[in-house]
Amino acid sequence: PADLTTAEAAQHYLDNNTGLYSLFDRSTFLFSVDGMLIAEHPYRPNRRGQDFSFRGYIRDTVKTGQPTISEPFITTKDDHDDVLMLTAPVFSADGRMVAILSGSLGLTRPGMLGNISKAVIGKTGYFFLATADGMLIMHPDKQRLTSRAFERGVNPTFDKALGGFAGSEETTESDGTTVLATYSHLPTSGWVLGSRYPEAEAFAPFYNMAATFIYLLLVASAFVLAALWKLTSGQLRPLRSLTLQIRSHTGGGGKAASVEVNANGEIGDFARRSE
């Protein structure tokens, strides 16, 4: 309670809570319950007392008495960055809401969300994050932030994900690329986490395995055929010799000469009986 008695005390509180800066990469704020700015870090002059009650995250926090994650919006600061605001209501000992503590995240900065957007799946796959109504708040292409991920009807799988679908499906992008799309829902915020993985890249290991299998099958088939040819030719050589000798000894009027065949089994028996 002492930190809310004056703007200077609130400013001292924000300036000394350095642990907040590891998460909120832009600013931290303390607002009154009617949306007036009490203090902010980093400090900027001539802003205390400004009315922010028009912001949805202030209205939602006051209405629900619960922490709130805002929709992405363009900040009023000079850089006009796309940001998210996270709030937490502050209560007095008797349970009254007396202030709102909040912090802002820059969507284009290399913070928590920015690092996730840089994650790569395979070579060209990536993650993206969209609000419950389909607005992008994390994407490798920063130019697409705060725009709709896909217009309705363009990507049926994404439309299903906004309706509650969670899982993976093959789908075709607007440029004709077939991808493996996966979606999951973040229950606290209602956001949709999605990933895109080109089908050709995703299934490349299976294609390579199939090609290797076909190659090995062809090599094995060639080996088997060569072995069969060698075995068959060895078995047929005595029969061919016997046939040629019989053919050469028949057709004349004289006594037939003996045939000589180096073979066992039925061919050898036949050769000996023909002597």
Side-chain angles (χ1 to χ4, degrees):
D3 295 320
L4 296 173
T5 54
T6 64
E8 287 72 19
Q11 187 69 50
H12 182 268
Y13 170 83
L14 293 180
D15 291 343
N16 285 275
N17 274 271
T18 56
L20 294 173
Y21 314 149
S22 62
L23 176 61
F24 301 113
D25 54 14
R26 290 188 57 88
S27 302
T28 54
F29 307 87
L30 270 170
F31 296 99
S32 66
V33 291
D34 55 1
M36 300 298 177
L37 179 64
I38 301 174
E40 64 179 329
H41 176 89
Y43 170 76
R44 289 189 291 165
N46 304 318
R47 279 174 52 87
R48 291 176 180 173
Q50 287 189 16
D51 187 358
F52 287 85
S53 60
F54 66 94
R55 292 293 192 186
Y57 56 85
I58 296 290
R59 296 196 306 266
D60 292 343
T61 305
V62 173
K63 179 179 180 180
T64 64
Q66 298 292 327
T68 298
I69 302 175
S70 75
E71 295 294 313
F73 64 94
I74 298 177
T75 181
T76 56
K77 284 188 176 182
D78 296 336
D79 58 2
H80 299 291
D81 193 10
D82 296 313
V83 300
L84 291 175
M85 291 288 289
L86 283 73
T87 70
V90 180
F91 297 97
S92 64
D94 59 3
R96 293 180 299 108
M97 185 186 302
V98 293
I100 299 172
L101 176 66
S102 66
S104 59
L105 291 171
L107 299 184
T108 60
R109 295 191 175 194
M112 178 179 64
L113 297 179
N115 288 334
I116 296 174
S117 68
K118 294 180 180 179
V120 178
I121 308 172
K123 295 181 179 179
T124 60
Y126 61 87
F127 292 98
F128 67 92
L129 191 62
T131 60
D133 59 358
M135 184 181 297
L136 283 172
I137 57 178
M138 185 191 75
H139 194 279
D141 183 0
K142 296 180 181 180
Q143 301 299 320
R144 296 188 60 185
L145 294 178
T146 69
S147 64
R148 187 171 177 83
F150 302 97
E151 294 300 327
R152 294 192 181 278
V154 172
N155 192 315
T157 306
F158 181 72
D159 293 342
K160 287 173 57 179
L162 293 181
F165 168 76
S168 300
E169 278 191 0
E170 291 183 21
T171 185
T172 301
E173 302 272 85
S174 57
D175 61 358
T177 303
T178 302
V179 301
L180 187 63
T182 302
Y183 295 99
S184 180
H185 291 264
L186 309 183
T188 301
S189 61
W191 295 345
V192 177
L193 177 64
S195 68
R196 283 292 191 269
Y197 199 13
E199 183 187 53
E201 187 178 339
F203 296 132
F206 300 100
Y207 298 149
N208 293 336
M209 184 184 301
T212 301
F213 175 77
I214 292 174
Y215 172 77
L216 293 176
L217 182 62
L218 291 175
V219 172
S221 298
F223 177 79
V224 170
L225 289 174
L228 287 174
W229 178 83
K230 184 174 181 62
L231 178 63
T232 304
S233 62
Q235 294 290 333
L236 295 179
R237 189 177 298 111
L239 182 59
R240 188 181 304 112
S241 175
L242 175 61
T243 302
L244 292 175
Q245 292 182 62
I246 292 175
R247 186 179 298 164
S248 64
H249 295 328
T250 58
K255 181 181 179 181
S258 298
V259 295
E260 297 180 359
V261 176
N262 183 20
N264 297 319
E266 295 178 349
I267 297 177
D269 292 341
F270 179 72
R272 286 188 289 272
R273 290 171 182 166
S274 63
E275 294 179 351

